[in-house]
Amino acid sequence: MPMIQFILNNKTIKTSQNSGMTLLDFVRYEQSLTGTKIGCREGDCGACTVLVGTLKNNEHIEYQSITSCISPLGNAHGKHIVTVEGTNLQDKLTTAQEAMKANYATQCGFCTPGFVVSLTGFALSNSEKNHNNALNAISGNICRCTGYKAIEKAAYQVVEKLQDQKTDNSFNWLIKNEFIPDYFKSIPKRLKDLDVKNIQQPKGKYVSGGTDLYVQQADNLVDNSVHLIAEKDYLKEITFNNNICTIGSNSTVSDLWNNTELNAKLPNLRKYLKLVSSEQIRNMASFGGNLVNASPIADMAIFFLALNSKITITNVEEEKERIISLKNFYQGYKTYDLKEGELIKNITFKLPTDQTFFNFEKVCKRTHLDIASVNSAIQISLANNIISTAHISIGGVSAIPKYLHKTSSFLAGKTLTSKTIIEANDILQEEISPISDVRGTSDYKRLLGRQLFFAHFIELFPKQFTLKDFVQHA
Amino acid sequence: MHKNKLNNSLNLKLDHVSNALKKSVKNIDSYTHVRGESLYVDDVIVRQGTFHAVVFDSPKAHGIIKSIDYSKAEALEGVERIFTCKDIPGKNEIGGIIHDEPLFAENEVHFWGMPIALIVAKTEFIARKARELIQIEIEELPVITTAKEAKVKGSFINAPRSFSLGDTEKAFSSCEYIFEGETFSNGQEHLYIEAQGAYSEPLENGNIKITSSTQGPTSVQKTIANVLGIAMHKIEVDVTRLGGGFGGKEDQATPWAVMAALATYYLNKSVKLILNRHDDLRMTGKRHPYESTYKIGLSKDLKILAYQVEFLQNSGAAADLSPAIAERTLFHATNSYYVPNVLSKVLSCKTNLPPNTAFRGFGGPQGMFVIESAIAKAASKIGVSARQIQETNLLNENDTFSYGQIAKKVEAKNTWNSAKDIFDIDALEDEIEYFNKNNATFKKGLALMPITFGISFTNTSMNHARALVHIYLDGSIGISTAAVEMGQGVNTKIMQIAAQVFSVSLDKIKIETTNTTRVANTSPSAASSTADLNGKSTLMACNSLLERLKKVASENLNVLEENIKLKDEFVYINDEKSNLSWTELISKAMFNRVALTENAHYATPEIHFDKTKEKGHPFAYHVYGTAIFTTTVDCIRGTYEFDSVKIVHDYGKSMSEGIDLGQVEGALVQGIGWMTMEEIAYNSNGKLLSNALSTYKVPDVFSVPKSIEVIPVETDGNDMAILKSKAVGEPPLMYGIGAYFAIQNAIKAFNPNYKVKFHAPMTPEKVLMSLYSE
């Protein structure tokens, strides 16, 4: 039995527990750290939020928040895991805790440790210390008591206390200013000293971040062997070469969010990605997992379909690789072109140029941390107001994340006018076949499909189009 | 008709708590909350050999159980035993108001998720695996999911109730305008973040201790005794705190505690039963959906002369608290308005949904939504703003409610006018008009929402509580009451009261767990009344002790009792500090054999209600307020945001400003959730579709109003409220109703063809469909 080793708060753990058991169960029931709460066991409430510290370049540690309920224990191997207890100081409150208390940001208290951990993670993170980022940090934490205004005040108080943080020796500063306890200083060395050879993974279900699989079949994964791939280096990198971007399929949504070059090429990237689940989930969820989960409303699939991406599929044991177009990957509801033993290795796409425009739209019941009723993306290239190419994808209106072949090819070669777009919508409506379900009636999804299609053009060409150009009443 | 007389010996000298305390006091639990050290049921350190239990429930909404095969489940290694209705030694009966609900299904199942058996095993994981191995065969019977369908089929929980004032029929004949319509408001999932659960431990002599996440410890105790067929004194129920309740744990925390106790009864072992989220969502009831029809009549000058309404309450498969909730719907059918002629009727319709239950507001919100809809409809037909009709009909002093109570110390107009003045409603309306004129893709909407909510259990006999106060010989204090802390801050308020009476620091006081062996025969923590009832009894107990201690001081210092005061943990004589400290005073009292324990009983005076006449004076007082909503609708996408909610609220004289503000904001956002994104969905077979947090959405940090301002209205407070600090738990939830109308007004600004509809929640789907309706 392989030993999983990591540091939990201030304690080194060596365990032979199943690597497929959830980190939540391990900390609560094996380690009796009951500050980490069970709210939903599917990453949708944040009561079980913990921090994961990863040693980078063998010297400093990067901390991210995750929901421990859908994270396999094995993914903690070689990491520093911090629960709310691990943030506690002796006989006094940390700055984040004090902010929560002072602003009446805790009522029943059940969600509170999750918020405290998320805010502590924010303090430890590299992100700019502003109000927006503070709210992003708690985007995966649900509170049913306070109505959030008090929590918002607490988060802003944390931002204020972080204003004069020195970035160079951030641990010392955070310890001195009572954000984290003193033992954090010892963690980098202790992590380095851990004997963390890669664990030989058993044959079994491939699991990366686990954010879909642990929602769907946690009990099976706990029981059976899981083959953890989150730490596989060959699946990780984001590289740029001659305007071609290659993203390893293990890259998390946060890896995309944090990538400077990608943000430069897709200036609204964070606006789009903010619509994708919560910060905790983005920190875990691999985009490759989103592709193979094959949900008809998979945000990442919709996103990369419009970028006309190609995917590299690898069979590690047979050392074979093949490349296919993402739009040919999906075959039917939850079925796709991936054979036994194969993995998606990476995705490649051409970066947008000056005359290429990209937009992503998503509407759901709740704007954030929700699954789309309909989502859609577009990439359109223009030359003298003539559309040279268009790639449009739409989710939630078909059995698969849908690339709109006909609508896209209709647009190619046309002049960019409202008439063209309205006509294109007629084709779009023929291409989609929404069904009524808990995310909306088919009529609604049709209407929303139209609206999001128009929204692309209103967003991308605000000087040229307004809502009035497409619909009545306005 | 009877009236409780106010205990005249009760010396309520404390009008209100000191300013310093009321502004500064934090929730006393917050220190352990933020450190993750507060204990909830699932955090209790379990005894060795504890078993874990999982409930096996019906996979159909209605049918006859033809066969169940437990053999494979029983054979699974680690499974200890499976309990069914056959194992119940007492009565298979858990209904609180009407005895119509079994703990475990017998021959028939009545809703999808109805408990059938309890699987007890070494681990929860094994119990869950075993559950998958149970094979059940059900002969399906017709399923009713809507109240309307139940009415057609004559399926009811109990006889209808009806309130009447004046003569509606006559009044309608003199109305200038008459409008009729239908409304629907959907249910709402409580979504306490801590799911239902209980932990049961065997004591000696067949006694059982239950740690339960319940708002009603006595109800748990009584029901266990009834199901096990043993005396109540053999059952001890203990509650440290709840991770949220909102009414969902008033009645529906009980079955899980009973099941755990049943297993302990047989196995003589500790048993833990914590529902996982999916089980909780599927097996428990929610806020009642209502389908209602109304007829409203107005005079030429917009006075509402007559209002007739029929509420169809979707009660679910058993009574639970539905009759009481239906009653409160009638109490609040006219919200903040005086209507001289009212005829209201409610039918509790029996359907095949899980028994719907208490949820913050307790039927009040459903009643108010209908009259606000009727007003909005009338306004749109007449061509005036709803605000004009609302304002014309606000309640005045000495107006009569349809249930006969005379409105006293009315703050309806005061809060309304204050809100208009403070927040400059005219400027706000101009701003919105200007915005809408100049904006094609976004439209703003505004709505005002007044509230009037009655405080007391409408069942008069439930309005009582007790407090047991011990002063220990070192001067520290322990207080037990019937109050259950669930985030509302009641323990903090009780602590404030004792600290104020004895003038000791808060750290001298401990609020004990809520435990049926210390405080017995209690009403649940509900109806916004917990702080009033338990606070008043605490105040009485502390005052009695104070009198005794003053006597001790008087004898010791040889001064008159009336010249003695306790201040900052010292005895003061004529406002001068003496050498006698609090601790020394307690020692002297002990030495003199003076009782340092007091138990006080408080029963709300003046209230009464005669159900045979449907008239009386059921409420100790009312809480008032007015909210102004502004929203922005994205007319491309059908999504919306709330720019602001501005409220003038009647706190009375708030004793804990931070805590009370938290209640207002939290309730408001919960109310907005009910009216906007929270959508319960069952299919026609009675299966819950919104069965996880991925399909049932509650507000998150980004979806709440950008700004919430709450201004306290200036009043004298009300003596019936604890230290004049009015109940605050439920009333502000109903501000949330304004969200619906604000969005609707924005839709109207975009789509002139839109016909007003009253079908809540107003999801982005409904908004988009309305924006583009023909």
Side-chain angles (χ1 to χ4, degrees):
Chain A
M1 184 64 77
M3 289 294 265
I4 301 164
Q5 297 184 47
F6 61 102
I7 301 173
L8 175 58
N9 299 332
N10 195 12
K11 179 180 167 189
T12 302
I13 301 282
K14 291 184 182 181
T15 175
S16 53
Q17 290 280 354
N18 287 344
S19 58
M21 110 182 268
T22 68
L23 182 57
L24 170 64
D25 283 328
F26 184 80
V27 299
R28 265 190 79 81
Y29 300 120
E30 301 297 323
Q31 298 294 316
S32 302
L33 294 169
T34 54
T36 307
K37 302 298 181 196
I38 302 175
C40 68
R41 283 193 183 271
E42 51 184 23
D44 262 318
C45 80
C48 67
T49 301
V50 301
L51 301 180
V52 180
T54 307
L55 196 60
K56 296 277 170 171
N57 307 323
N58 217 22
E59 52 182 45
H60 74 284
I61 300 185
E62 269 181 33
Y63 285 94
Q64 288 188 312
S65 60
I66 63 163
T67 50
S68 59
C69 63
I70 50 173
S71 184
L73 175 63
N75 277 357
H77 187 59
K79 311 277 176 143
H80 182 212
I81 302 294
V82 186
T83 69
V84 66
E85 291 91 347
T87 74
N88 285 344
L89 305 174
Q90 194 79 36
D91 299 325
K92 60 179 158 187
L93 298 182
T94 66
T95 308
Q97 290 168 339
E98 183 55 39
M100 290 287 284
K101 182 182 171 195
N103 291 287
Y104 297 89
T106 172
Q107 286 186 23
C108 84
F110 203 79
C111 71
T112 307
F115 277 95
V116 166
V117 170
S118 292
L119 287 173
T120 307
F122 170 66
L124 280 160
S125 75
N126 298 325
S127 66
E128 199 190 315
K129 300 302 185 287
N130 58 35
H131 286 184
N132 273 342
N133 286 339
L135 295 189
N136 284 341
I138 53 173
S139 59
N141 295 91
I142 296 296
C143 167
R144 192 57 158 162
C145 292
T146 61
Y148 300 98
K149 295 320 258 190
I151 296 173
E152 210 175 85
K153 281 181 212 153
Y156 294 168
Q157 183 172 320
V158 169
V159 172
E160 203 175 297
K161 301 272 181 192
L162 284 165
Q163 283 314 307
D164 47 339
Q165 179 187 6
K166 299 270 185 299
T167 45
D168 43 328
N169 58 352
S170 121
F171 263 15
N172 288 335
W173 189 93
L174 290 169
I175 291 165
K176 193 167 152 249
N177 288 277
E178 301 183 337
F179 278 91
I180 47 173
D182 191 56
Y183 78 83
F184 270 70
K185 263 193 304 207
S186 70
I187 298 295
K189 181 168 185 314
R190 286 164 65 189
L191 271 192
K192 258 184 268 181
D193 293 347
L194 269 190
D195 181 24
V196 286
K197 288 189 202 75
N198 275 343
I199 294 174
Q200 187 69 38
Q201 296 291 341
K203 269 205 179 335
K205 186 87 186 163
Y206 285 129
V207 176
S208 181
T211 53
D212 275 320
L213 290 170
Y214 274 82
V215 172
Q216 294 156 4
Q217 44 170 309
D219 280 358
N220 288 330
L221 300 171
V222 173
D223 244 6
N224 301 324
S225 300
V226 293
H227 186 108
L228 298 177
I229 55 170
E231 293 301 307
K232 304 273 185 210
D233 288 337
Y234 73 98
L235 299 173
K236 262 193 172 301
E237 280 177 317
I238 302 179
T239 56
F240 299 88
N241 189 0
N242 286 334
N243 229 25
I244 303 279
C245 176
T246 304
I247 302 176
S249 63
N250 251 341
S251 304
T252 62
V253 182
S254 291
D255 289 338
L256 307 186
W257 175 291
N258 291 327
N259 190 284
T260 321
E261 208 162 343
L262 209 52
N263 275 286
K265 292 291 181 183
L266 294 163
N268 287 321
L269 182 66
R270 286 183 185 172
K271 182 180 138 192
Y272 309 139
L273 295 183
K274 198 177 160 178
L275 300 173
V276 179
S277 60
S278 65
E279 185 159 314
Q280 284 98 317
I281 307 294
R282 289 194 295 266
N283 286 337
M284 294 191 282
S286 68
F287 90 84
N290 194 241
L291 296 187
V292 296
N293 185 45
S295 161
I297 34 173
D299 291 322
M300 287 293 100
I302 295 304
F303 194 90
F304 286 107
L305 277 170
L307 287 166
N308 198 27
S309 312
K310 291 188 165 58
I311 51 175
T312 308
I313 292 169
T314 180
N315 185 319
V316 184
E317 277 181 26
E318 295 175 14
E319 293 179 24
K320 277 186 195 159
E321 281 189 6
R322 59 193 177 97
I323 293 174
I324 62 166
S325 207
L326 181 59
K327 59 192 172 205
N328 297 328
F329 181 60
Y330 297 106
Q331 296 160 333
Y333 181 70
K334 294 255 179 187
T335 58
Y336 40 78
D337 181 10
L338 202 63
K339 296 174 191 74
E340 183 75 30
E342 282 187 330
L343 276 173
I344 296 181
K345 183 182 173 189
N346 61 42
I347 196 161
T348 58
F349 60 94
K350 255 191 213 156
L351 290 164
T353 61
D354 287 352
Q355 286 308 304
T356 312
F357 304 88
F358 179 85
N359 188 45
F360 175 75
E361 293 281 336
K362 174 179 176 180
V363 167
C364 21
K365 253 187 203 133
R366 186 173 71 196
T367 303
H368 301 93
L369 184 49
D370 196 359
I371 296 166
S373 293
V374 177
N375 51 7
S376 177
I378 189 169
Q379 183 180 224
I380 190 164
S381 302
L382 283 185
N384 302 320
N385 209 37
I386 307 286
I387 302 166
S388 42
T389 56
H391 299 287
I392 307 152
S393 57
I394 188 163
V397 291
S398 169
I400 58 169
K402 192 158 179 74
Y403 178 85
L404 293 169
H405 289 274
K406 288 179 189 161
T407 315
S408 300
S409 60
F410 170 82
L411 284 172
K414 300 275 189 319
T415 310
L416 183 65
T417 63
S418 56
K419 185 167 168 282
T420 308
I421 296 162
I422 289 166
E423 283 171 14
N425 173 58
D426 293 339
I427 297 167
L428 178 151
Q429 294 293 330
E430 282 170 28
E431 275 195 275
I432 64 175
S433 48
I435 54 163
S436 295
D437 62 15
V438 74
R439 312 215 176 275
T441 60
S442 59
D443 285 351
Y444 169 58
K445 291 178 189 172
R446 275 197 182 278
L447 177 59
L448 187 53
R450 181 190 86 172
Q451 294 298 108
L452 296 188
F453 183 61
F454 293 158
H456 288 314
F457 297 94
I458 298 167
E459 284 290 322
L460 291 175
F461 311 106
K463 286 183 188 151
Q464 209 168 337
F465 302 114
T466 67
L467 182 58
K468 276 184 188 169
D469 294 307
F470 303 117
V471 297
Q472 324 157 3
H473 307 318
Chain B
M1 194 159 92
H2 76 279
K3 283 188 177 185
N4 290 315
K5 285 266 178 310
L6 181 64
N7 184 350
N8 286 328
S9 69
L10 172 61
N11 187 357
L12 298 170
K13 278 181 186 158
L14 290 159
D15 267 6
H16 50 87
V17 292
S18 74
N19 278 329
L21 202 54
K22 78 178 183 185
K23 285 196 194 305
S24 69
V25 68
K26 304 286 182 251
N27 185 322
I28 52 160
D29 281 338
S30 48
Y31 184 84
T32 51
H33 280 356
V34 298
R35 293 170 63 90
E37 293 168 348
S38 295
L39 296 179
Y40 303 81
V41 175
D42 194 29
D43 304 333
V44 171
I45 295 167
V46 297
R47 289 215 245 162
Q48 212 169 10
T50 291
F51 287 119
H52 297 263
V54 163
V55 179
F56 172 68
D57 59 307
S58 173
K60 296 288 171 202
H62 193 197
I64 294 162
I65 300 174
K66 301 305 279 183
S67 70
I68 311 180
D69 182 0
Y70 295 109
S71 59
K72 281 184 192 149
E74 281 166 338
L76 189 71
E77 194 186 330
V79 171
E80 182 68 15
R81 187 165 162 182
I82 296 175
F83 295 95
T84 69
C85 61
K86 294 189 183 110
D87 299 302
I88 290 174
K91 289 182 183 148
N92 184 19
E93 165 48 55
I94 59 167
I97 297 178
I98 299 173
H99 301 302
D100 66 348
E101 189 180 0
L103 179 68
F104 293 124
E106 293 179 1
N107 303 317
E108 260 189 54
V109 290
H110 299 285
F111 64 92
W112 201 302
M114 182 175 183
I116 295 172
L118 185 75
I119 306 152
V120 180
K122 280 209 172 78
T123 68
E124 186 192 334
F125 182 73
I126 294 170
R128 219 163 41 230
K129 286 273 165 194
R131 179 164 72 175
E132 289 166 24
L133 300 174
I134 297 174
Q135 286 168 321
I136 184 166
E137 199 189 332
I138 291 173
E139 184 187 314
E140 290 185 57
L141 294 170
V143 172
I144 303 175
T145 60
T146 68
K148 225 177 237 172
E149 212 182 328
K151 188 191 171 192
V152 170
K153 293 188 173 162
S155 171
F156 300 109
I157 295 287
N158 57 352
R161 296 275 299 271
S162 183
F163 287 7
S164 123
L165 180 72
D167 184 341
T168 43
E169 207 172 312
K170 208 171 124 196
F172 276 122
S173 65
S174 62
C175 287
E176 173 80 12
Y177 308 107
I178 295 174
F179 305 102
E180 292 180 71
E182 288 184 357
T183 72
F184 173 78
S185 62
N186 204 338
Q188 183 177 25
E189 165 58 40
H190 302 85
L191 216 91
Y192 27 68
I193 310 291
E194 179 209 30
Q196 303 273 8
Y199 178 61
S200 164
E201 298 167 79
L203 306 175
E204 61 184 13
N205 289 324
N207 300 327
I208 295 173
K209 182 181 174 187
I210 305 285
T211 305
S212 168
S213 180
T214 180
Q215 293 172 244
T218 291
S219 158
V220 168
Q221 182 193 21
K222 190 179 79 179
T223 312
I224 292 173
N226 191 43
V227 171
L228 297 185
I230 60 177
M232 278 174 79
H233 69 203
K234 295 185 83 66
I235 308 296
E236 173 185 349
V237 181
D238 191 81
V239 185
T240 302
R241 65 169 60 75
L242 274 49
F246 316 115
K249 294 172 182 171
E250 182 175 346
D251 224 39
Q252 299 210 354
T254 302
W256 329 112
V258 179
M259 289 177 202
L262 176 72
T264 293
Y265 175 89
Y266 279 105
L267 303 173
N268 201 34
K269 285 278 171 107
S270 299
V271 176
K272 194 172 182 179
L273 169 52
I274 310 283
L275 297 192
N276 75 31
R277 181 61 60 183
H278 288 200
D279 288 357
D280 187 306
L281 292 172
R282 189 175 67 250
M283 295 179 194
T284 66
K286 305 164 196 327
R287 186 190 293 287
H288 295 74
Y290 272 57
E291 290 162 272
S292 311
T293 46
Y294 64 82
K295 184 175 171 187
I296 190 168
L298 300 94
S299 70
K300 204 171 178 188
D301 55 358
L302 304 179
K303 281 263 179 212
I304 304 172
L305 298 180
Y307 181 57
Q308 195 175 317
V309 57
E310 182 180 86
F311 300 105
L312 300 184
Q313 177 197 57
N314 188 334
S315 313
D320 194 273
L321 294 164
S322 295
I325 291 160
E327 183 183 55
R328 196 176 268 275
T329 301
L330 298 183
F331 283 119
H332 295 100
T334 54
N335 190 15
S336 293
Y337 310 108
Y338 172 63
V339 183
N341 302 285
V342 181
L343 183 60
S344 59
K345 185 178 177 188
V346 62
L347 293 94
S348 294
C349 302
K350 192 169 180 169
T351 63
N352 297 110
L353 301 186
N356 285 316
T357 193
F359 195 145
R360 207 175 196 168
F362 206 75
Q366 291 96 320
M368 292 185 193
F369 179 69
V370 183
I371 189 145
E372 293 301 329
S373 298
I375 289 172
K377 170 96 171 256
S380 99
K381 291 278 180 188
I382 299 170
V384 297
S385 84
R387 150 153 109 85
Q388 273 175 271
I389 300 178
Q390 290 173 309
E391 188 165 325
T392 307
N393 293 283
L394 288 171
L395 207 60
N396 282 305
E397 195 72 11
N398 295 322
D399 280 343
T400 307
F401 289 103
S402 67
Y403 45 93
Q405 183 160 347
I406 308 295
K408 295 285 181 191
K409 294 196 161 200
V410 178
E411 305 290 351
K413 280 193 172 155
N414 190 5
T415 59
W416 179 276
N417 292 331
S418 302
K420 275 171 55 188
D421 289 351
I422 294 167
F423 301 119
D424 199 348
I425 188 79
D426 295 328
L428 212 52
E429 279 185 335
D430 290 348
E431 207 177 289
I432 285 172
E433 206 185 314
Y434 178 84
F435 180 93
N436 286 346
K437 233 174 234 163
N438 293 288
N439 226 303
T441 37
F442 293 90
K443 295 289 180 190
K444 285 187 187 287
L446 176 140
L448 276 78
M449 181 65 202
I451 58 152
T452 297
F453 194 78
I455 301 303
S456 287
F457 287 98
T458 55
N459 179 355
T460 302
S461 67
M462 290 170 77
N463 292 285
H464 62 83
R466 278 153 304 289
L468 178 66
V469 180
H470 298 314
I471 304 174
Y472 292 97
L473 55 88
D474 64 353
S476 63
I477 298 162
I479 302 174
S480 294
T481 71
V484 170
E485 176 61 50
M486 48 193 158
Q488 84 279 45
V490 65
N491 282 358
T492 307
K493 288 184 172 180
I494 286 170
M495 193 182 253
Q496 278 179 268
I497 292 161
Q500 186 74 15
V501 173
F502 298 127
S503 197
V504 297
S505 65
L506 291 173
D507 59 16
K508 280 252 178 330
I509 304 165
K510 178 187 172 202
I511 306 298
E512 303 287 354
T513 62
T514 316
N515 187 298
T516 52
T517 65
R518 274 180 267 115
V519 180
N521 307 329
T522 60
S523 292
S525 289
S528 305
S529 303
T530 316
D532 277 357
L533 298 174
N534 295 282
K536 291 250 182 187
S537 54
T538 303
L539 183 58
M540 289 164 73
C542 292
N543 275 333
S544 299
L545 287 164
L546 177 66
E547 291 311 310
R548 257 176 246 163
L549 291 173
K550 278 186 179 174
K551 193 160 177 254
V552 172
S554 136
E555 284 162 5
N556 262 275
L557 299 168
N558 212 9
V559 287
L560 288 174
E561 261 178 69
E562 63 219 50
N563 297 331
I564 286 175
K565 243 184 13 197
L566 295 190
K567 201 178 153 195
D568 302 335
E569 303 190 5
F570 271 88
V571 173
Y572 277 62
I573 306 163
N574 294 321
D575 292 328
E576 295 226 353
K577 188 174 173 179
S578 76
N579 287 328
L580 187 58
S581 73
W582 165 259
T583 328
E584 287 160 345
L585 175 64
I586 299 306
S587 298
K588 290 195 191 304
M590 272 298 287
F591 186 78
N592 293 340
R593 298 187 295 170
V594 172
L596 290 173
T597 287
E598 184 66 19
N599 178 52
H601 172 83
Y602 175 77
T604 312
E606 293 174 28
I607 53 172
H608 57 89
F609 191 72
D610 183 349
K611 278 193 188 183
T612 62
K613 299 189 177 110
E614 302 288 27
K615 295 283 177 194
H617 185 103
F619 297 118
Y621 56 90
H622 287 82
V623 170
Y624 301 89
T626 298
I628 303 174
F629 274 77
T630 53
T631 183
T632 304
V633 170
D634 175 339
C635 301
I636 305 174
R637 300 170 184 85
T639 52
Y640 44 77
E641 290 181 334
F642 294 98
D643 308 322
S644 67
V645 181
K646 301 164 187 290
I647 295 172
V648 172
H649 185 77
D650 166 26
Y651 292 105
K653 300 274 183 203
S654 173
M655 65 183 288
S656 322
E657 291 175 0
I659 285 170
D660 285 350
L661 175 63
Q663 287 298 295
V664 174
E665 290 178 344
L668 165 72
V669 167
Q670 223 166 38
I672 293 174
W674 174 53
M675 281 286 118
T676 57
M677 68 175 69
E678 295 186 33
E679 190 172 35
I680 302 261
Y682 290 94
N683 70 11
S684 58
N685 296 324
K687 183 183 184 183
L688 182 68
L689 300 178
S690 50
N691 60 353
L693 265 64
S694 53
T695 44
Y696 186 78
K697 308 313 282 189
V698 298
D700 67 344
V701 69
F702 296 118
S703 54
V704 299
K706 291 214 182 65
S707 102
I708 299 176
E709 286 174 85
V710 188
I711 309 277
V713 71
E714 290 292 329
T715 75
D716 297 334
N718 192 310
D719 287 331
M720 298 282 269
I722 178 67
L723 306 181
K724 298 193 172 188
S725 181
K726 283 189 171 182
V728 70
E730 293 168 288
L733 183 130
M734 282 147 275
Y735 290 134
I737 294 169
Y740 187 95
F741 297 95
I743 294 172
Q744 180 153 276
N745 288 338
I747 294 169
K748 280 179 2 195
F750 179 80
N751 180 0
N753 300 327
Y754 170 70
K755 295 192 180 54
V756 289
K757 277 190 280 295
F758 305 99
H759 198 280
M762 187 64 101
T763 55
E765 170 167 2
K766 283 199 200 123
V767 174
L768 193 70
M769 298 304 273
S770 302
L771 286 168
Y772 294 95
S773 62
E774 298 293 331

